[in-house]
Amino acid sequence: MTDTAALFTGPQPKPWIEAIHAYVPGKSTGSDGRKLIKLSANENPLGTSPSALAAARDAAAASLYPDPGSTALREAIGALHGIDPDRIAMGAGSDELLNLAAQGYAGPGDEVIYVRYGFSVYDIAARRCGSTPVVAPDADFGTDVDALLALVMGRTRVVFIANPNNPTGSYLPRGDIARLHAALPADVLLVIDQAYGEYVAQEDEDGAMALAAEHDNVLVTRTFSKIYGLAGERIGWATGAPPLIATLNRIRLPFNVSNTGQAMALAALGDQQFVESSRIHNAAERAHFVQRIESLGNHGLRPLPSEANFVLILFEGALTAEVAYEGLMQAGYIVRWLPGQGLPQALRITIGARDDMNAIADALAALAEAAR
Ligand SMILES: *Cc1c(COP(=O)(O)O)cnc(C)c1O
């Protein structure tokens, strides 16, 4: 605790709030303030659909409150995914919905489970409602369903899992997701966070949407921040049984998605060509980048298999992740170094444009040579 905190005699936060480490966003500038090419926040390198940008101009006046129910947007999402719009809740980013899911179903004395090297928002979501976060061990940085299930107790209220996972990129196939769900008690909420779901090939789809459609204890969350290129507008959605959706709607902020956000997301949904181009670009450039890193030879750089729009590289040789992180900044790139998430030996790199990925691979090759 700092001296100023010790001297502070004003209102004291709840102890569980004080225990929260605020979310650390991906940076866009170097330590010297220089603007860098940002591959630290898994944003879409292709930008945003032109139709979404055009829709921003036609959005309802800023002086008017938005539609509190995001009706047109929910109907369009429902039509695209074959979901009854009444089974969809909108959020200011899926981050809001993840927090609401914990708040709605867990409180002091309850437990919320997520996996080690899982998405850092789950820890905040668990703590801010006073519940106890329980961290399941990983299996070589991936999700270990059995280890997770072994932690399910009478006090377990919510299980969070991202599929694909951030920051590891790991992916649980349909059978594992089904097994995880089947072993959970009916009164435990399973939240399957599919922020990167659109990057997964259709035939490898994890079955989470079907679980949310058929069972009363599954919420699936999606976002417009990643493949739709609308991270700046803060739009996410969740689907599940109507009572779950009613809980989220009861505690969300009344006007949580702005006029512009609703208009842009609606237009973005209508441009599936942009989504498809983003998916194809990502799959090709991710494969190319991983192949370049693997061809560096015996330098101890290990890219983990990824189904998302980023790759986590483990630095297991002479070149450390910290030195590589600084070196990439010198080369003009900001990526994500994650010592705060227990990954001081790893860098998470968003898949960007071909030239940038080649420049990063070149820089890592030079850094690895220099470290030998
Ligand atoms: C980016 C991300 C999100 C959500 O982002 P929003 O912008 O709040 O929709 C959710 N989960 C994971 C795993 C993510 O990486």
Side-chain angles (χ1 to χ4, degrees):
M1 204 180 268
T2 63
D3 286 349
T4 39
L7 292 173
F8 186 70
T9 56
Q12 298 298 313
K14 292 295 174 191
W16 57 87
I17 299 294
E18 199 154 38
I20 291 174
H21 296 281
Y23 182 78
V24 182
K27 295 187 180 138
S28 53
T29 52
S31 29
D32 57 1
R34 193 157 56 104
K35 188 110 180 99
L36 300 168
I37 293 180
K38 186 184 179 198
L39 295 172
S40 61
N42 303 339
E43 292 145 334
N44 193 328
L46 304 186
T48 308
S49 154
S51 16
L53 295 175
R57 285 195 304 269
D58 302 334
S63 59
L64 302 176
Y65 278 109
D67 170 9
S70 302
T71 315
L73 181 53
R74 282 188 302 107
E75 283 169 358
I77 293 169
L80 181 68
H81 291 275
I83 303 170
D84 177 350
D86 289 342
R87 301 178 66 99
I88 297 172
M90 301 303 305
S94 48
D95 284 346
E96 180 187 21
L97 297 162
L98 297 168
N99 276 286
L100 297 180
Q103 192 184 351
Y105 294 95
D110 296 331
E111 294 185 350
V112 171
I113 304 179
Y114 53 87
V115 297
R116 178 156 64 199
Y117 315 127
F119 186 41
S120 55
V121 161
Y122 308 149
D123 183 78
I124 299 174
R127 291 178 192 276
R128 63 182 235 159
C129 54
S131 67
T132 305
V134 175
V135 182
D138 60 300
D140 195 27
F141 302 93
T143 297
D144 182 336
V145 170
D146 297 303
L148 195 159
L149 286 172
L151 294 172
V152 175
M153 305 287 167
R155 290 186 186 151
T156 305
R157 301 270 43 96
V158 181
V159 172
F160 281 112
I161 170 163
N163 206 35
N165 184 45
N166 172 17
T168 59
S170 65
Y171 188 66
L172 279 186
R174 179 194 303 245
D176 283 349
I177 292 285
R179 192 161 65 86
L180 170 61
H181 173 259
L184 286 178
D187 64 347
V188 170
L189 178 66
L190 174 61
V191 181
I192 304 170
D193 174 351
Q194 291 190 330
Y196 304 96
E198 295 90 350
Y199 289 104
V200 176
Q202 190 62 44
E203 63 271 22
D204 297 330
E205 188 265 308
D206 66 7
M209 287 287 185
L211 289 178
E214 290 158 17
H215 299 277
D216 289 343
N217 65 337
V218 180
L219 271 178
V220 172
T221 61
R222 289 264 179 139
T223 182
F224 282 88
S225 299
K226 306 287 160 58
I227 210 165
Y228 285 97
L230 285 170
E233 294 300 321
R234 316 303 307 124
I235 311 143
W237 55 279
T239 182
L244 305 181
I245 296 304
T247 299
L248 300 178
N249 280 328
R250 202 171 281 139
I251 55 177
R252 70 173 169 83
L253 297 181
F255 303 101
N256 58 348
V257 185
S258 71
N259 281 330
T260 314
Q262 291 185 35
M264 292 184 87
L266 191 56
L269 272 182
D271 187 359
Q272 287 300 313
Q273 188 57 52
F274 177 83
V275 174
E276 186 59 10
S277 304
S278 300
R279 181 179 15 251
I280 290 169
H281 173 272
N282 183 66
E285 298 311 319
R286 187 181 63 206
H288 174 77
F289 180 63
V290 166
Q291 193 270 324
R292 286 234 29 207
I293 297 303
E294 283 172 345
S295 73
L296 291 184
N298 203 14
H299 288 295
L301 273 63
R302 173 157 75 105
L304 294 181
S306 172
E307 292 296 327
N309 66 344
F310 56 84
V311 173
L312 191 77
I313 302 178
L314 302 176
F315 290 75
E316 298 173 332
L319 175 63
T320 65
E322 182 172 16
V323 168
Y325 176 67
E326 298 292 339
L328 288 177
M329 269 200 268
Q330 289 305 316
Y333 294 94
I334 182 95
V335 300
R336 194 71 162 258
W337 180 42
L338 295 158
Q341 279 183 251
L343 290 166
Q345 78 285 34
L347 294 183
R348 193 196 68 191
I349 304 178
T350 305
I351 301 303
R354 168 71 58 109
D355 288 352
D356 290 325
M357 301 321 286
N358 279 336
I360 286 175
D362 291 344
L364 288 174
L367 289 160
E369 267 316 308
R372 261 168 113 81

